[in-house]
Amino acid sequence: CIHYASSGVLLARMAGIPARYATGYIVVADDFEKFLNTDMVDVNANYDKIKEESAKWGDLETNEEIKDSINNGIMPNIDDSLDKLSKIKPETDEVKAIKEKYVKVMEAYKEGYTKMLEACDTNDEQTVTEATEKIDEGIKLLDDYNNALESLAKEKDMKIEY
């Protein structure tokens, strides 16, 4: 089973799809492994698209270009992630808590990028600051999520590959 999982991860990565796998032997570990290897694959791919799109902002020159990036590149991936997350039903409290951490990441991003759209319309520096702070909050929440992943993996004597 582990060999198939690692091969699947390798093939997915070669195809440019972000993939992880975890191994373990108890109920929480099984739920955690399913969460990482199955449930979160598309959500992780969406995050990579969000990150890739936001990295382009240094080259954008107008508010209209930023709005287009948010409306057509970032928000669809956030909305799709939130939809996919709403359909993930972990069985254990530990994995439920980790999933909720990621939901909070996407909610903070959604609020921040929505605020950034408002800032593009109003040219208000305070709104830009508020939007940036909310997006930064999402980044901190993502760190919390990743730390929770690592902590649970360590607790269950599992290994996570990125």
Side-chain angles (χ1 to χ4, degrees), residues 71-147:
N71 285 323
N72 297 314
I74 293 174
M75 293 302 273
N77 286 298
I78 291 172
D79 290 337
D80 187 54
S81 291
L82 287 168
D83 180 59
K84 287 181 181 350
L85 286 162
S86 73
K87 295 173 183 168
I88 296 172
K89 306 294 183 201
E91 297 177 20
T92 59
D93 290 341
E94 294 90 339
V95 178
K96 286 177 188 174
I98 287 175
K99 175 202 154 190
E100 287 309 310
K101 287 180 182 296
Y102 202 86
V103 169
K104 289 183 187 328
V105 170
M106 287 295 115
E107 289 172 342
Y109 281 166
K110 183 167 184 157
E111 187 177 334
Y113 285 110
T114 299
K115 185 71 86 173
M116 192 62 74
L117 285 170
E118 179 186 331
C120 287
D121 286 335
T122 63
N123 286 317
D124 178 47
E125 286 298 318
Q126 179 60 35
T127 307
V128 171
T129 300
E130 291 170 10
T132 302
E133 288 172 354
K134 198 62 177 179
I135 293 166
D136 287 345
E137 178 184 322
I139 292 167
K140 289 176 186 161
L141 290 168
L142 183 62
D143 288 341
D144 291 343
Y145 165 80
N146 285 322
N147 289 336

Coordinates of all heavy atoms in Angstrom, one line a residue, residues 71-147:
N71 N -10.6 38.5 -9.5 CA -11.9 37.9 -10.0 C -11.7 36.7 -10.8 O -12.6 35.8 -10.7 CB -12.7 39.0 -10.8 CG -13.3 40.0 -9.9 OD1 -13.7 39.8 -8.8 ND2 -13.3 41.3 -10.4
N72 N -10.7 36.6 -11.6 CA -10.6 35.4 -12.5 C -9.5 34.4 -12.1 O -9.5 33.3 -12.6 CB -10.3 35.9 -13.9 CG -11.4 36.8 -14.4 OD1 -12.6 36.4 -14.3 ND2 -11.1 37.9 -15.0
G73 N -8.6 34.8 -11.2 CA -7.5 33.8 -10.9 C -7.6 33.4 -9.4 O -7.4 32.2 -9.1
I74 N -7.9 34.3 -8.5 CA -7.8 34.0 -7.1 C -9.1 33.6 -6.5 O -9.2 32.5 -5.9 CB -7.2 35.2 -6.3 CG1 -5.7 35.4 -6.8 CG2 -7.3 35.0 -4.8 CD1 -5.1 36.7 -6.2
M75 N -10.1 34.4 -6.7 CA -11.4 34.1 -6.0 C -12.0 32.8 -6.5 O -12.6 32.0 -5.6 CB -12.4 35.2 -6.2 CG -12.0 36.5 -5.4 SD -11.8 36.2 -3.6 CE -13.5 36.5 -3.1
P76 N -12.0 32.4 -7.8 CA -12.5 31.1 -8.2 C -11.9 29.9 -7.4 O -12.5 29.0 -7.1 CB -12.3 31.0 -9.7 CG -12.2 32.5 -10.1 CD -11.6 33.2 -8.9
N77 N -10.6 30.1 -7.2 CA -9.9 29.0 -6.5 C -10.2 29.0 -5.0 O -10.3 27.9 -4.4 CB -8.3 29.1 -6.7 CG -8.0 28.7 -8.1 OD1 -8.2 27.6 -8.5 ND2 -7.5 29.6 -8.9
I78 N -10.4 30.1 -4.4 CA -10.8 30.2 -3.0 C -12.2 29.6 -2.9 O -12.4 28.8 -2.0 CB -10.7 31.7 -2.5 CG1 -9.3 32.1 -2.4 CG2 -11.5 31.8 -1.1 CD1 -9.1 33.6 -2.0
D79 N -13.1 30.0 -3.7 CA -14.5 29.5 -3.7 C -14.5 28.0 -3.9 O -15.2 27.3 -3.2 CB -15.4 30.3 -4.7 CG -15.6 31.7 -4.3 OD1 -15.5 32.0 -3.1 OD2 -15.9 32.5 -5.2
D80 N -13.7 27.5 -4.9 CA -13.7 26.1 -5.1 C -13.1 25.4 -3.9 O -13.6 24.3 -3.5 CB -12.9 25.8 -6.4 CG -13.0 24.3 -6.8 OD1 -14.1 23.8 -6.9 OD2 -11.9 23.7 -6.9
S81 N -12.1 25.9 -3.3 CA -11.5 25.3 -2.1 C -12.5 25.2 -1.0 O -12.7 24.2 -0.3 CB -10.3 26.0 -1.7 OG -9.3 25.9 -2.6
L82 N -13.2 26.3 -0.7 CA -14.2 26.3 0.3 C -15.4 25.3 0.0 O -15.8 24.6 0.9 CB -14.8 27.7 0.5 CG -13.8 28.7 1.2 CD1 -14.4 30.1 1.1 CD2 -13.6 28.3 2.7
D83 N -15.8 25.2 -1.2 CA -16.8 24.2 -1.6 C -16.3 22.8 -1.3 O -17.0 22.0 -0.7 CB -17.2 24.4 -3.1 CG -18.2 23.4 -3.5 OD1 -19.3 23.4 -2.9 OD2 -17.9 22.6 -4.4
K84 N -15.1 22.5 -1.8 CA -14.5 21.2 -1.6 C -14.3 20.9 -0.1 O -14.6 19.8 0.4 CB -13.2 21.1 -2.3 CG -13.3 20.9 -3.8 CD -12.0 20.8 -4.5 CE -12.1 20.7 -6.0 NZ -13.3 20.5 -6.7
L85 N -13.9 21.9 0.7 CA -13.7 21.7 2.1 C -15.0 21.4 2.8 O -15.1 20.6 3.7 CB -13.0 22.9 2.7 CG -11.5 23.1 2.4 CD1 -11.1 24.5 2.7 CD2 -10.7 22.1 3.3
S86 N -16.1 22.0 2.3 CA -17.4 21.8 2.9 C -17.9 20.3 2.7 O -18.7 19.8 3.5 CB -18.5 22.7 2.4 OG -18.8 22.4 1.0
K87 N -17.3 19.7 1.7 CA -17.7 18.3 1.4 C -16.8 17.2 2.1 O -17.1 16.0 2.1 CB -17.7 18.1 -0.1 CG -18.8 18.9 -0.8 CD -18.7 18.8 -2.3 CE -19.7 19.8 -2.9 NZ -19.5 20.0 -4.3
I88 N -15.7 17.7 2.7 CA -14.8 16.8 3.4 C -15.3 16.5 4.8 O -15.6 17.4 5.5 CB -13.4 17.4 3.5 CG1 -12.8 17.5 2.0 CG2 -12.5 16.5 4.3 CD1 -11.5 18.3 2.0
K89 N -15.5 15.2 5.1 CA -16.1 14.9 6.4 C -15.2 13.9 7.1 O -15.3 12.7 7.1 CB -17.5 14.1 6.1 CG -18.5 14.9 5.3 CD -18.9 16.2 6.0 CE -20.0 16.9 5.1 NZ -20.1 18.3 5.5
P90 N -14.2 14.5 7.8 CA -13.3 13.7 8.6 C -14.0 12.9 9.7 O -15.1 13.4 10.2 CB -12.3 14.7 9.2 CG -12.4 15.9 8.4 CD -13.8 15.9 7.9
E91 N -13.5 11.8 10.1 CA -14.2 10.9 11.1 C -13.7 11.2 12.5 O -14.4 10.9 13.4 CB -13.9 9.4 10.7 CG -14.6 9.0 9.4 CD -14.3 7.6 9.0 OE1 -14.0 6.8 9.9 OE2 -14.4 7.3 7.8
T92 N -12.5 11.7 12.6 CA -11.9 11.9 13.9 C -11.8 13.4 14.3 O -11.7 14.2 13.4 CB -10.5 11.3 14.0 OG1 -9.7 11.9 13.0 CG2 -10.5 9.8 13.7
D93 N -11.9 13.6 15.6 CA -11.8 15.0 16.1 C -10.5 15.7 15.7 O -10.5 16.9 15.4 CB -12.0 15.1 17.6 CG -13.4 14.7 18.0 OD1 -14.3 14.8 17.2 OD2 -13.6 14.4 19.2
E94 N -9.4 14.9 15.7 CA -8.1 15.5 15.4 C -8.1 16.0 13.9 O -7.6 17.1 13.7 CB -7.0 14.4 15.6 CG -6.8 14.0 17.0 CD -7.7 12.8 17.4 OE1 -8.7 12.5 16.8 OE2 -7.3 12.1 18.4
V95 N -8.6 15.2 13.0 CA -8.6 15.6 11.6 C -9.6 16.7 11.4 O -9.4 17.6 10.6 CB -8.7 14.4 10.7 CG1 -8.7 14.8 9.2 CG2 -7.6 13.4 10.9
K96 N -10.7 16.6 12.0 CA -11.7 17.7 11.9 C -11.1 19.0 12.3 O -11.4 20.1 11.6 CB -13.0 17.4 12.8 CG -13.9 16.3 12.3 CD -15.0 16.1 13.3 CE -15.8 14.8 12.8 NZ -16.8 14.5 13.8
A97 N -10.4 19.1 13.4 CA -9.8 20.3 13.9 C -8.8 20.8 12.9 O -8.7 22.1 12.6 CB -9.1 20.1 15.2
I98 N -8.0 20.0 12.2 CA -7.0 20.4 11.2 C -7.8 20.9 10.0 O -7.4 22.0 9.5 CB -6.1 19.2 10.9 CG1 -5.1 19.0 12.0 CG2 -5.3 19.5 9.6 CD1 -4.2 17.8 11.9
K99 N -8.8 20.3 9.6 CA -9.6 20.7 8.4 C -10.1 22.1 8.7 O -10.1 23.0 7.9 CB -10.7 19.8 8.1 CG -11.7 20.3 7.0 CD -13.0 19.7 7.1 CE -14.0 20.6 6.5 NZ -15.4 20.2 6.6
E100 N -10.7 22.3 9.9 CA -11.2 23.7 10.3 C -10.1 24.8 10.2 O -10.5 25.9 9.9 CB -11.9 23.6 11.6 CG -13.3 22.9 11.6 CD -14.2 23.4 10.5 OE1 -14.4 24.6 10.3 OE2 -14.7 22.5 9.7
K101 N -8.9 24.4 10.6 CA -7.8 25.4 10.5 C -7.7 25.8 9.0 O -7.5 27.0 8.7 CB -6.5 24.8 11.0 CG -6.5 24.7 12.5 CD -5.1 24.1 12.9 CE -5.1 23.9 14.4 NZ -5.1 25.2 15.2
Y102 N -7.8 24.9 8.1 CA -7.6 25.3 6.7 C -8.8 26.1 6.2 O -8.7 27.0 5.3 CB -7.4 24.0 5.8 CG -6.7 24.4 4.5 CD1 -5.3 24.5 4.4 CD2 -7.5 24.7 3.4 CE1 -4.7 24.9 3.2 CE2 -6.8 25.1 2.2 CZ -5.5 25.2 2.1 OH -4.8 25.6 1.0
V103 N -10.0 25.7 6.7 CA -11.2 26.5 6.3 C -11.0 28.0 6.7 O -11.3 28.9 6.0 CB -12.5 26.0 7.0 CG1 -13.6 26.9 6.8 CG2 -12.8 24.6 6.4
K104 N -10.4 28.2 7.9 CA -10.1 29.6 8.4 C -9.1 30.3 7.5 O -9.2 31.5 7.3 CB -9.7 29.5 9.8 CG -10.8 29.2 10.8 CD -10.3 29.2 12.2 CE -11.2 28.7 13.3 NZ -12.6 28.9 13.1
V105 N -8.2 29.5 7.0 CA -7.2 30.1 6.0 C -7.9 30.7 4.8 O -7.8 31.8 4.4 CB -6.2 29.0 5.6 CG1 -5.3 29.6 4.4 CG2 -5.3 28.6 6.7
M106 N -8.8 29.8 4.2 CA -9.5 30.2 3.0 C -10.5 31.4 3.3 O -10.6 32.3 2.4 CB -10.2 29.0 2.4 CG -9.3 28.1 1.7 SD -8.4 28.8 0.2 CE -6.7 28.7 0.8
E107 N -11.1 31.3 4.4 CA -12.0 32.4 4.8 C -11.3 33.8 5.0 O -11.8 34.8 4.5 CB -12.8 32.1 6.1 CG -13.8 31.0 5.9 CD -14.5 30.5 7.1 OE1 -13.9 30.7 8.2 OE2 -15.5 29.8 7.0
A108 N -10.1 33.7 5.6 CA -9.3 34.9 5.7 C -8.9 35.4 4.4 O -8.9 36.7 4.1 CB -8.1 34.7 6.6
Y109 N -8.4 34.5 3.5 CA -8.1 35.0 2.2 C -9.2 35.6 1.4 O -9.1 36.6 0.8 CB -7.5 33.8 1.4 CG -6.1 33.4 1.6 CD1 -5.6 32.2 1.2 CD2 -5.2 34.2 2.3 CE1 -4.3 31.8 1.4 CE2 -3.9 33.8 2.6 CZ -3.5 32.6 2.1 OH -2.2 32.2 2.4
K110 N -10.4 34.9 1.5 CA -11.6 35.4 0.8 C -11.9 36.9 1.3 O -12.2 37.8 0.5 CB -12.8 34.5 1.0 CG -14.0 35.0 0.2 CD -15.0 33.9 0.2 CE -16.2 34.4 -0.7 NZ -17.0 33.4 -1.3
E111 N -11.9 37.0 2.6 CA -12.2 38.4 3.2 C -11.1 39.4 2.7 O -11.4 40.5 2.3 CB -12.2 38.3 4.7 CG -12.7 39.6 5.3 CD -12.8 39.5 6.8 OE1 -13.1 38.3 7.3 OE2 -12.7 40.5 7.5
G112 N -9.9 39.0 2.7 CA -8.8 39.9 2.3 C -8.8 40.3 0.9 O -8.7 41.5 0.5
Y113 N -9.1 39.3 0.0 CA -9.1 39.6 -1.4 C -10.4 40.3 -1.8 O -10.4 41.2 -2.7 CB -8.9 38.3 -2.3 CG -7.5 37.9 -2.3 CD1 -7.1 36.7 -1.6 CD2 -6.5 38.6 -2.9 CE1 -5.8 36.3 -1.6 CE2 -5.1 38.2 -2.9 CZ -4.8 37.0 -2.2 OH -3.5 36.6 -2.2
T114 N -11.5 40.1 -1.1 CA -12.7 40.9 -1.3 C -12.4 42.3 -0.9 O -12.9 43.3 -1.6 CB -13.9 40.3 -0.5 OG1 -14.1 38.9 -0.9 CG2 -15.1 41.1 -0.7
K115 N -11.8 42.5 0.2 CA -11.4 43.9 0.6 C -10.5 44.5 -0.4 O -10.6 45.7 -0.7 CB -10.8 43.8 2.0 CG -10.5 45.1 2.7 CD -11.6 45.9 3.1 CE -12.1 45.5 4.5 NZ -13.2 46.4 4.9
M116 N -9.6 43.8 -1.0 CA -8.7 44.3 -2.0 C -9.4 44.8 -3.2 O -9.1 45.8 -3.8 CB -7.6 43.3 -2.4 CG -6.4 43.9 -3.2 SD -5.5 45.1 -2.3 CE -4.6 44.1 -1.1
L117 N -10.5 44.0 -3.6 CA -11.3 44.5 -4.7 C -11.9 45.8 -4.4 O -12.0 46.7 -5.2 CB -12.4 43.5 -5.0 CG -12.0 42.2 -5.7 CD1 -13.1 41.2 -5.7 CD2 -11.6 42.5 -7.1
E118 N -12.4 46.0 -3.2 CA -13.0 47.3 -2.7 C -11.9 48.4 -2.8 O -12.2 49.5 -3.3 CB -13.5 47.1 -1.3 CG -14.1 48.4 -0.7 CD -14.5 48.2 0.8 OE1 -14.8 47.1 1.2 OE2 -14.4 49.2 1.5
A119 N -10.7 48.0 -2.4 CA -9.7 49.0 -2.4 C -9.3 49.5 -3.8 O -9.0 50.6 -4.1 CB -8.4 48.5 -1.7
C120 N -9.4 48.5 -4.8 CA -9.2 48.9 -6.2 C -10.2 49.8 -6.7 O -9.9 50.7 -7.5 CB -9.2 47.6 -7.0 SG -7.7 46.6 -6.9
D121 N -11.5 49.7 -6.2 CA -12.5 50.6 -6.7 C -12.4 52.0 -6.0 O -12.8 53.0 -6.6 CB -13.9 50.0 -6.4 CG -14.2 48.8 -7.3 OD1 -13.7 48.8 -8.4 OD2 -15.0 47.9 -6.9
T122 N -12.0 52.0 -4.8 CA -12.1 53.3 -4.0 C -10.7 54.0 -4.0 O -10.7 55.2 -3.6 CB -12.5 53.0 -2.6 OG1 -11.5 52.2 -1.9 CG2 -13.9 52.4 -2.5
N123 N -9.6 53.3 -4.3 CA -8.3 53.9 -4.2 C -8.0 54.4 -2.8 O -7.3 55.3 -2.6 CB -8.1 55.0 -5.2 CG -7.9 54.5 -6.6 OD1 -7.2 53.5 -6.8 ND2 -8.6 55.1 -7.6
D124 N -8.5 53.7 -1.8 CA -8.4 54.1 -0.4 C -7.2 53.3 0.2 O -7.3 52.0 0.3 CB -9.7 53.8 0.3 CG -9.5 54.1 1.8 OD1 -9.0 55.2 2.1 OD2 -10.0 53.3 2.6
E125 N -6.2 53.9 0.6 CA -5.0 53.3 1.2 C -5.3 52.5 2.5 O -4.8 51.5 2.7 CB -3.9 54.3 1.5 CG -3.2 54.8 0.3 CD -2.5 53.7 -0.5 OE1 -1.8 52.9 0.1 OE2 -2.6 53.7 -1.7
Q126 N -6.3 53.0 3.3 CA -6.7 52.3 4.5 C -7.3 51.0 4.2 O -7.0 50.0 4.8 CB -7.6 53.2 5.4 CG -8.1 52.5 6.6 CD -6.9 52.1 7.6 OE1 -5.9 52.8 7.7 NE2 -7.1 51.0 8.3
T127 N -8.1 50.9 3.1 CA -8.7 49.7 2.7 C -7.6 48.7 2.2 O -7.7 47.5 2.4 CB -9.8 49.9 1.6 OG1 -10.7 50.9 2.2 CG2 -10.6 48.7 1.3
V128 N -6.6 49.2 1.5 CA -5.5 48.4 1.0 C -4.8 47.8 2.2 O -4.5 46.6 2.3 CB -4.5 49.2 0.1 CG1 -3.3 48.3 -0.1 CG2 -5.2 49.6 -1.1
T129 N -4.6 48.6 3.2 CA -3.9 48.1 4.5 C -4.7 47.0 5.1 O -4.2 46.0 5.6 CB -3.7 49.3 5.4 OG1 -2.8 50.3 4.8 CG2 -3.0 48.8 6.7
E130 N -6.0 47.3 5.3 CA -6.9 46.3 5.9 C -6.9 45.0 5.1 O -6.9 43.9 5.7 CB -8.3 46.8 6.0 CG -8.5 48.0 7.0 CD -9.8 48.7 6.9 OE1 -10.7 48.2 6.2 OE2 -10.0 49.7 7.6
A131 N -7.0 45.1 3.8 CA -7.0 43.9 2.9 C -5.7 43.1 3.1 O -5.7 41.9 3.3 CB -7.1 44.3 1.5
T132 N -4.5 43.8 3.1 CA -3.2 43.2 3.3 C -3.1 42.5 4.6 O -2.6 41.4 4.7 CB -2.1 44.2 3.1 OG1 -2.3 44.8 1.8 CG2 -0.7 43.6 3.2
E133 N -3.6 43.2 5.6 CA -3.6 42.6 7.0 C -4.4 41.3 7.0 O -4.0 40.3 7.7 CB -4.1 43.6 8.0 CG -3.2 44.7 8.3 CD -3.7 45.8 9.2 OE1 -5.0 45.8 9.5 OE2 -3.0 46.7 9.5
K134 N -5.5 41.3 6.4 CA -6.4 40.1 6.4 C -5.7 38.9 5.6 O -5.7 37.8 6.0 CB -7.8 40.4 5.8 CG -8.8 39.3 6.1 CD -9.0 39.3 7.7 CE -10.0 38.3 8.1 NZ -10.2 38.3 9.5
I135 N -5.1 39.3 4.5 CA -4.4 38.2 3.7 C -3.2 37.7 4.5 O -2.9 36.5 4.6 CB -3.9 38.8 2.3 CG1 -5.1 39.1 1.5 CG2 -2.9 37.9 1.6 CD1 -4.9 40.0 0.2
D136 N -2.5 38.6 5.2 CA -1.4 38.2 6.1 C -1.9 37.3 7.2 O -1.2 36.4 7.6 CB -0.7 39.4 6.7 CG 0.2 40.2 5.6 OD1 0.5 39.6 4.6 OD2 0.6 41.3 5.9
E137 N -3.1 37.6 7.7 CA -3.7 36.7 8.7 C -3.9 35.3 8.1 O -3.6 34.3 8.8 CB -5.0 37.3 9.2 CG -5.7 36.4 10.2 CD -7.1 37.0 10.6 OE1 -7.3 38.2 10.7 OE2 -8.0 36.2 10.7
G138 N -4.3 35.3 6.9 CA -4.5 34.0 6.2 C -3.2 33.2 6.2 O -3.1 32.0 6.4
I139 N -2.1 33.9 5.9 CA -0.8 33.3 5.8 C -0.4 32.7 7.2 O 0.1 31.6 7.3 CB 0.3 34.3 5.3 CG1 0.0 34.6 3.8 CG2 1.7 33.8 5.4 CD1 0.7 35.8 3.3
K140 N -0.6 33.5 8.2 CA -0.3 33.0 9.6 C -1.2 31.8 9.9 O -0.7 30.9 10.6 CB -0.5 34.1 10.6 CG 0.5 35.2 10.5 CD 0.2 36.4 11.5 CE 1.2 37.5 11.2 NZ 0.8 38.8 11.7
L141 N -2.4 31.8 9.5 CA -3.3 30.7 9.8 C -2.8 29.5 9.0 O -2.9 28.3 9.5 CB -4.8 31.0 9.4 CG -5.5 32.0 10.3 CD1 -6.8 32.5 9.7 CD2 -5.7 31.4 11.7
L142 N -2.3 29.7 7.8 CA -1.7 28.6 7.1 C -0.5 28.0 7.8 O -0.4 26.8 7.8 CB -1.3 29.0 5.7 CG -0.8 28.0 4.7 CD1 -1.8 26.9 4.5 CD2 -0.3 28.6 3.4
D143 N 0.3 28.8 8.4 CA 1.4 28.3 9.2 C 0.9 27.5 10.4 O 1.4 26.4 10.7 CB 2.3 29.5 9.8 CG 3.1 30.1 8.7 OD1 3.3 29.5 7.6 OD2 3.5 31.3 8.9
D144 N -0.2 27.9 11.0 CA -0.8 27.2 12.1 C -1.3 25.8 11.6 O -1.1 24.8 12.3 CB -2.0 27.9 12.7 CG -1.6 29.2 13.5 OD1 -0.4 29.3 13.8 OD2 -2.5 30.0 13.8
Y145 N -1.9 25.8 10.4 CA -2.4 24.6 9.8 C -1.3 23.6 9.6 O -1.3 22.4 9.9 CB -3.2 24.9 8.5 CG -3.4 23.7 7.6 CD1 -4.5 22.8 7.8 CD2 -2.6 23.5 6.5 CE1 -4.7 21.8 7.0 CE2 -2.8 22.4 5.7 CZ -3.9 21.6 5.9 OH -4.1 20.5 5.1
N146 N -0.2 24.1 8.9 CA 0.9 23.3 8.6 C 1.6 22.7 9.9 O 2.0 21.6 10.0 CB 2.0 24.0 7.8 CG 1.5 24.1 6.3 OD1 0.9 23.2 5.8 ND2 1.7 25.2 5.7
N147 N 1.7 23.6 10.9 CA 2.2 23.1 12.2 C 1.3 22.0 12.8 O 1.8 21.1 13.4 CB 2.4 24.3 13.2 CG 3.5 25.2 12.8 OD1 4.4 24.8 12.1 ND2 3.4 26.5 13.2

